[in-house]
Amino acid sequence: MTSPGPSGGAVRAHHLFGPLARRTGARVTAAHGRRGLPGLALSVAAASAGWLRPVAVATTQLVPAPGLAMLRGRVRPVAVDLHDHPVLQAEALHVALEPGRRERLDELFEANVAAFERLIVPSRSFSDLCGLPADRVVVVTNGTDSGRIVPAPLPAEPTVALVSGAAPGRGIELLLEAMEQVRQAVPEAVLRLALSSTGPASASYRADLAASLGQRRWVSLEDVPYAGLGAFLAGAWVMVVPHPPGEYYDASTPVKLFDALASGRPVVVTPRLETRRIIEEADAGVVASDDADGLAEAIAGLLGDPDRSATLGANGRQAAEERYDWSVLGEQLADALLADLA
């Protein structure tokens, strides 16, 4: 298997079908074929004749029209992972789509929904938001690699950290505002931002943000490859997932949340539906309000209480190992799909 990329979707693609492939002897491809069958980041698990006839296909990305045209006859389209909706995601990130592109992406999404028997989604609320048929949905939340990301003692310096794509509308500006208040209560507090560029607009945003920091030397803007994520998380005292209000963010279960749980760090989240549910069920952090005052209060409270931070972090680590490790989630998915195919 290849190493996962920096995005949550690439990490999910890397892990999702691992148990299914092992249990069926499936062939896993990692690149698009000439006719459009998908592959990126281990996205296709195509069973050999020893699994079932006809050949069964499962994919972690949308299949373009040429590939969909092949999914007939002796090729059985078993499952597609719909971890994002391309149009709804663009709207949530305030990304303007070129004329006609919105319609093409909507058509692509709907064509995949129609083509595959099972629709894998990261949350039930995401399925509802996309209007998917409930009887064909398999819910597999995002997860973490708890073998790669491991706990460490709390750092000596009160460090707050964020992992995100570099883009507006992801709570980055809100966190900066909140940290100005945190430093009034905890003057030595610092903020580490691991922001990945996902394209030219993202790179431009990142450059503008770096220029705007000015004399705020307590903020560091860092490039953190996935291989170095564990070390980055180990250097934090508090992790923050400050998603802004919106239906798409309510339905999101970001990979960075589960990586934070695996690191044994308490997590501060804003009151989005799924992230709030996960944190409260695991008792692994604090749900703050959507304003800078509330976010600052939650962060400062954890920085001032190492015992509570350690307890919440330990709870999160337990949840990561028992419920949200990719191996656990992948086995659950394999069970569900193989039951359908039996």
Side-chain angles (χ1 to χ4, degrees):
M1 289 187 175
T2 59
S3 298
S7 72
V11 172
R12 182 178 174 97
H14 176 75
H15 291 285
L16 195 61
F17 289 133
L20 179 64
R22 287 193 296 272
R23 287 166 62 174
T24 62
R27 178 172 59 86
V28 180
T29 65
H32 277 283
R34 289 185 300 168
R35 297 187 179 182
L37 282 177
L40 179 64
L42 308 181
S43 66
V44 174
S48 65
W51 179 6
L52 278 183
R53 297 181 179 88
V55 170
V57 173
T59 173
T60 60
Q61 69 177 42
L62 297 177
V63 180
L68 291 177
M70 296 178 64
L71 299 181
R72 60 170 67 99
R74 292 189 58 78
V75 179
R76 182 179 176 184
V78 173
V80 58
D81 181 42
L82 304 176
H83 55 272
D84 280 320
H85 189 297
V87 173
L88 297 180
Q89 183 186 44
E91 290 177 347
L93 296 176
H94 308 289
V95 175
L97 297 175
E98 298 175 0
R101 181 164 174 74
R102 177 191 178 98
E103 290 74 16
R104 291 193 296 273
L105 290 174
D106 270 329
E107 291 172 359
L108 175 65
F109 189 87
E110 293 303 323
N112 276 259
V113 170
F116 284 89
E117 299 171 17
R118 285 293 185 175
L119 312 172
I120 308 167
V121 297
S123 69
R124 181 64 63 178
S125 56
F126 178 85
S127 172
D128 295 341
L129 179 64
C130 297
L132 303 178
D135 61 335
R136 293 166 54 207
V137 162
V138 179
V139 178
V140 180
T141 188
N142 280 317
T144 185
D145 183 347
S146 61
R148 176 188 291 266
I149 298 176
V150 296
L154 289 174
E157 190 174 37
T159 304
V160 180
L162 168 72
V163 177
S164 178
R170 298 199 177 193
I172 299 169
E173 298 83 2
L174 175 67
L175 179 56
L176 284 167
E177 182 181 353
M179 283 299 297
E180 296 279 5
Q181 298 184 39
V182 169
R183 283 177 52 80
Q184 295 178 22
V186 188
E188 63 273 26
V190 298
L191 175 62
R192 298 179 66 187
L193 300 174
L195 304 183
S196 58
S197 297
T198 57
S202 179
S204 178
Y205 170 85
R206 196 178 189 281
D208 291 343
L209 178 65
S212 72
L213 293 177
Q215 296 302 309
R216 288 180 281 189
R217 302 187 187 280
W218 47 270
V219 182
S220 61
L221 188 56
E222 305 177 35
D223 291 304
V224 180
Y226 186 73
L229 182 61
F232 177 83
L233 296 175
W237 183 306
V238 176
M239 294 299 302
V240 185
V241 182
H243 283 171
E247 288 184 322
Y248 199 81
Y249 285 120
D250 270 331
S252 297
T253 60
V255 169
K256 60 190 174 186
L257 173 66
F258 303 101
D259 287 339
L261 296 179
S263 73
R265 295 297 182 255
V267 187
V268 175
V269 300
T270 43
R272 307 288 73 79
L273 177 66
E274 294 295 340
T275 50
R276 177 174 193 154
R277 176 187 61 78
I278 291 163
I279 288 300
E280 289 182 340
E281 286 182 357
D283 190 20
V286 178
V287 180
S289 60
D290 278 314
D291 57 88
D293 292 347
L295 192 61
E297 180 181 359
I299 294 170
L302 290 171
L303 293 178
D305 193 339
D307 290 339
R308 185 184 182 211
S309 293
T311 298
L312 294 175
N315 293 343
R317 175 65 188 184
Q318 182 178 1
E321 291 177 339
E322 296 178 356
R323 281 182 266 171
Y324 300 122
D325 190 88
W326 284 118
S327 63
V328 175
L329 298 170
E331 293 291 354
Q332 292 172 354
L333 176 61
D335 288 342
L337 295 184
L338 290 175
D340 285 343
L341 290 168

